[in-house]
Amino acid sequence: MLPEHKLDGLLARHDAVEAELATPLPTETFVKLSREFAELSPIVETVKTYRGILAEIAGLDAMLADSATDAEMRAMANAEKPGLEGRRAVLEKKIMLALLPKDAMDERNVILEIRAGTGGDEASLFAGNLFRMYERFAAKQGWKVEVASASEGSMGGYKEIIAEIRGRGAFAKLKFESGVHRVQRVPDTEAQGRIHTSTATVAVLPEAEDVDITITKPISRSTRCARAAPAASTSTRPSRPFA
């Protein structure tokens, strides 16, 4: 079960930020609170849905525990409860992820690297499928994707592709994609219909921030020359006629 006090805290903070945004604020404070409100709103809606489902499940349990409930209503309750339990489990996982402490790099843009692994041409095709999947996901999030470099496979796809994904929260949503991905399927490159296993590696890196460097001390440069090696000694001898 989820910690109810944390859920209550989320709802209370959401209400407090909403109330504060309705008052005159300095621009910097308004922008900061607006961003927090936008981050809290989706998870707050999820919490409200989750609690609504818990209430429905509790109602069904009370109905089933009541000896006065007729057989038809019991059957309806038993049929409806598994679906609600499934939705509850999905929402619990979603809320638990949202409650995890935030990484300082979560809001950064992403450098996405996909490389074909074992599997030959089919691995390159699989790498291409992966890239298109991430590209479509980025489009749904409103992010921008820019390909930095790509090496195409001989039959399509990519041997390697590197792209930059720009958008708010890109690293937070993509960082767990890093690793080796595997697919088993009958590929287009297989004439006899055999199942083929191929892999591709995915690396998700946060974009490095620009850093301003302030030099407080003058930079001095010195050069040092190595001592010359002694000249090789030579001697001359009178030429000796061949016999």
Side-chain angles (χ1 to χ4, degrees), residues 122-133:
E122 172 61 16
S124 297
L125 294 173
F126 178 44
N129 291 341
L130 285 173
F131 176 71
R132 284 187 291 274
M133 177 187 72

Side-chain angles (χ1 to χ4, degrees), residues 122 125 184-191 193-198:
E122 172 61 16
L125 294 173
Q184 288 183 306
R185 62 187 179 186
V186 178
D188 295 334
T189 57
E190 174 57 55
R194 292 175 297 189
I195 294 177
H196 189 84
T197 300
S198 51

Side-chain angles (χ1 to χ4, degrees), residues 37-54:
F37 185 77
E39 291 174 353
L40 287 173
S41 292
I43 186 60
V44 163
E45 289 303 314
T46 304
V47 169
K48 289 179 179 179
T49 303
Y50 170 75
R51 285 186 163 176
I53 289 174
L54 288 183

Side-chain angles (χ1 to χ4, degrees), residues 6 29 37 56 122 127 136 151 157 165 169 183 221:
K6 287 191 176 182
T29 305
F37 185 77
E56 290 186 57
E122 172 61 16
R136 289 170 185 166
S151 174
I165 300 179
V183 66
R221 182 178 66 180

Side-chain angles (χ1 to χ4, degrees), residues 16-154:
V17 172
E18 186 176 22
E20 198 168 352
L21 285 171
T23 63
L25 295 168
T27 302
E28 185 177 347
T29 305
F30 180 81
V31 170
K32 183 179 179 180
L33 289 175
S34 296
R35 182 174 299 174
E36 184 182 0
F37 185 77
E39 291 174 353
L40 287 173
S41 292
I43 186 60
V44 163
E45 289 303 314
T46 304
V47 169
K48 289 179 179 179
T49 303
Y50 170 75
R51 285 186 163 176
I53 289 174
L54 288 183
E56 290 186 57
I57 293 174
L60 293 178
D61 287 339
M63 186 185 299
L64 292 170
D66 189 351
S67 59
T69 304
D70 59 37
E72 185 177 355
M73 293 299 293
R74 285 181 181 277
M76 290 176 60
N78 282 319
E80 188 177 354
K81 189 176 177 181
L84 291 173
E85 290 286 1
R87 290 179 61 194
R88 178 194 60 77
V90 170
L91 292 174
E92 271 191 3
K93 289 182 180 179
K94 188 174 180 180
I95 295 171
M96 286 175 68
L97 286 175
L99 292 176
L100 290 175
K102 282 197 171 184
D103 191 322
M105 295 182 289
D106 278 353
E107 295 301 315
R108 291 192 188 178
N109 299 325
V110 159
I111 303 298
L112 176 69
E113 299 180 3
I114 303 176
R115 292 181 174 84
T118 57
D121 292 329
E122 172 61 16
S124 297
L125 294 173
F126 178 44
N129 291 341
L130 285 173
F131 176 71
R132 284 187 291 274
M133 177 187 72
Y134 292 124
E135 194 174 31
R136 289 170 185 166
F137 179 75
K140 287 184 178 180
Q141 303 298 316
W143 302 337
K144 293 182 179 179
V145 179
E146 183 177 345
V147 176
S149 66
S151 174
E152 296 184 358
S154 58

